Amino acid sequence: MKINNQHYHTIWLKSNNESTIQIIDQRSLPHDFIIEDITTVDQMAIAIKDMHLRGAPLIGVAAAFGMYLAALEANSGTFQIDMDRFAEQLKATRPTAVNLAWAVNQQLELIQNKSFTDPKIFLQKAKTIKQDSIDRCKRMGEFGLSLIQDIYNKKQSTINILTHCNAGWLACIDYGTATAPIYAAYDSGIPVHVWVDETRPRNQGARLTAFELQEHGVPHTVITDNAGGHLMQHGEVDLVIVGTDRTTRTGDVCNKIGTYLKALAAQDNNVPFYVGAPTSSIDFSLSDGLREIPIELRNESEVKYIQGKHENTIKEVLLTPEKSPAANYAFDVTPARLVTGLITEFGIIPANESSIKSLILQT
Ligand code: MRU
């Protein structure tokens, strides 16, 4: 994706320096564009936990690069023990998105199955996982485009799409999951407009999705998290597309807190509710999202304080009475019955166990 007309991914190996990973520090967006150097596993773990980078596909790729840094740091005499320790450290950073543990396990398999210890092998694997993520998002965009095209063929005027949080290219490597169909539709000339939920408490919608859409030129409007239901009641939303951090084999979808309320409002108003769900987000070990998916509980300070720009300086201000406690649930689960369809890299399918199973068997 382009920022100021220059093409960027969200993470890459620094040129002429094979031991440094570079990332876009998303904490500074949309006001400042800062690139951060990461050279140790500790730094990568902090970057994931404190959300210098975030979004399920991206934290998976970041953890894969983290395991490359781990291979550079590990002692040759205790390689397996050190790598297991680094793997646990990375996995503990964020519990909900399934991509993180999946990517770390892919790297561990190189040691368990093939006894590899050369860091270059782990670098190559991280690069493969990264490219794979890009390809998946691109293909999801192509399938999602046909969905938007169908709606446009009937409506023949601007398609209003509501999205929650940031499931855009900043949450991935390129294209995004929920946004891939939107970019594809916009690029093919379909008039689209995006309602961007601000997504309290960290405001990934207001800060990141709005930034991305603006850089790409896609018309959009930032709304408060509670506005979506009202817009749906008044026919102002043709389609909802959100991302997922973990999808059960039965089609339950865990995504940013507030997604469930949008799905309820969508069902009440007959608005199609789609999820950009790469198959890498499917956790085949789980069948009941509500009971089985671990929901990350983050620091209460993210609810109590809000950050913004004032006279050219980024400031953080207190919103609540200083002593009021706050609770910060980061994700919720939307049951499969509220999901119209999953936009995967192999096609759009109903959110149920048999469709998910046959999709995987076909591929
Ligand atoms: O807490 P975050 O910002 O990592 O949460 C991100 C989301 O909930 C996204 O919607 C999800 O990861 C899908 S990303 C393509």
Side-chain angles (χ1 to χ4, degrees):
M1 283 290 162
K2 287 192 170 154
I3 298 177
N4 282 334
N5 280 328
Q6 193 178 330
H7 190 264
Y8 281 95
H9 286 160
T10 47
I11 188 166
W12 62 93
L13 185 70
K14 189 171 183 173
S15 59
N16 302 323
N17 183 341
E18 293 263 302
S19 53
T20 301
I21 307 300
Q22 293 193 299
I23 63 165
I24 298 172
D25 186 346
Q26 301 188 18
R27 294 170 304 168
S28 316
L29 292 173
H31 307 297
D32 298 311
F33 182 73
I34 294 174
I35 291 173
E36 181 180 353
D37 282 2
I38 296 191
T39 56
T40 65
V41 183
D42 277 354
Q43 287 172 1
M44 186 62 91
I46 289 168
I48 298 172
K49 190 171 179 48
D50 293 347
M51 294 173 70
H52 306 195
L53 50 82
R54 24 68 51 205
L58 177 55
I59 59 180
V61 174
F65 278 109
M67 288 299 283
Y68 161 58
L69 296 176
L72 291 174
E73 280 180 56
N75 204 305
S76 58
T78 52
F79 192 79
Q80 168 95 55
I81 296 168
D82 291 355
M83 289 298 275
D84 284 343
R85 182 169 43 82
F86 287 132
E88 286 315 308
Q89 182 184 359
L90 288 165
K91 281 185 194 175
T93 52
R94 297 200 69 193
T96 300
V98 73
N99 311 56
L100 199 155
W102 176 85
V104 170
N105 289 340
Q106 294 271 310
Q107 294 282 36
L108 283 181
E109 279 174 19
L110 295 175
I111 314 170
Q112 285 150 5
N113 300 344
K114 310 227 167 127
S115 304
F116 286 133
T117 56
D118 180 354
K120 281 200 169 61
I121 305 275
F122 297 89
L123 175 59
Q124 194 46 50
K125 185 74 184 175
K127 285 181 172 172
T128 305
I129 291 173
K130 174 179 164 177
Q131 187 57 46
D132 184 54
S133 179
I134 297 170
D135 297 342
R136 282 176 208 267
C137 289
K138 188 164 189 291
R139 293 208 300 272
M140 287 164 64
E142 286 156 10
F143 286 111
L145 167 61
S146 61
L147 175 72
I148 298 174
Q149 181 75 59
D150 286 349
I151 299 174
Y152 180 64
N153 290 346
K154 288 183 201 127
K155 191 182 177 197
Q156 290 297 320
S157 62
T158 301
I159 306 300
N160 290 301
I161 303 166
L162 184 143
T163 193
H164 190 69
C165 193
N166 173 259
W169 73 270
L170 283 164
C172 305
I173 307 299
D174 211 343
Y175 303 101
T177 56
T179 55
I182 298 172
Y183 289 128
Y186 175 81
D187 290 346
S188 72
I190 298 174
V192 288
H193 164 262
V194 185
W195 296 113
V196 179
D197 280 356
E198 63 174 341
T199 320
R200 280 280 290 148
R202 289 188 68 104
N203 298 308
Q204 290 96 326
R207 293 173 40 238
L208 305 176
T209 305
F211 171 77
E212 276 191 23
L213 294 172
Q214 181 169 289
E215 289 293 319
H216 200 91
V218 180
H220 62 281
T221 308
V222 178
I223 52 175
T224 59
D225 287 328
N226 295 323
H230 167 78
L231 291 168
M232 289 183 212
Q233 286 174 322
H234 289 272
E236 298 288 342
V237 182
D238 298 301
L239 172 70
V240 178
I241 314 181
V242 298
T244 172
D245 283 78
R246 201 186 287 225
T247 313
T248 64
R249 66 170 186 272
T250 53
D252 294 341
V253 166
C254 183
N255 192 50
K256 181 53 55 191
I257 192 81
T259 302
Y260 169 56
L261 290 178
K262 292 298 132 69
L264 282 175
Q267 191 181 62
D268 194 44
N269 292 283
N270 284 321
V271 173
F273 183 94
Y274 281 89
V275 179
T279 53
S280 57
S281 79
I282 301 173
D283 184 340
F284 290 94
S285 70
L286 304 186
S287 64
D288 182 338
L290 263 186
R291 281 195 301 130
E292 295 175 309
I293 298 177
I295 300 295
E296 178 179 7
L297 196 57
R298 293 187 64 83
N299 197 295
E300 65 165 13
S301 64
E302 293 180 352
V303 177
K304 294 181 67 168
Y305 291 83
I306 196 161
Q307 208 188 56
K309 192 169 192 173
H310 177 66
E311 290 176 354
N312 275 335
T313 321
I314 304 291
K315 293 228 159 88
E316 195 169 72
V317 293
L318 179 63
L319 279 174
T320 60
E322 200 160 1
K323 291 194 175 142
S324 288
N328 189 2
Y329 298 93
F331 299 95
D332 61 24
V333 173
T334 298
R337 67 187 152 78
L338 299 177
V339 177
T340 312
L342 303 173
I343 305 170
T344 78
E345 70 273 35
F346 301 113
I348 301 178
I349 57 164
N352 61 47
E353 188 159 9
S354 60
S355 304
I356 292 173
K357 210 167 165 184
S358 39
L359 178 83
I360 298 306
L361 289 175
Q362 272 168 37
T363 55

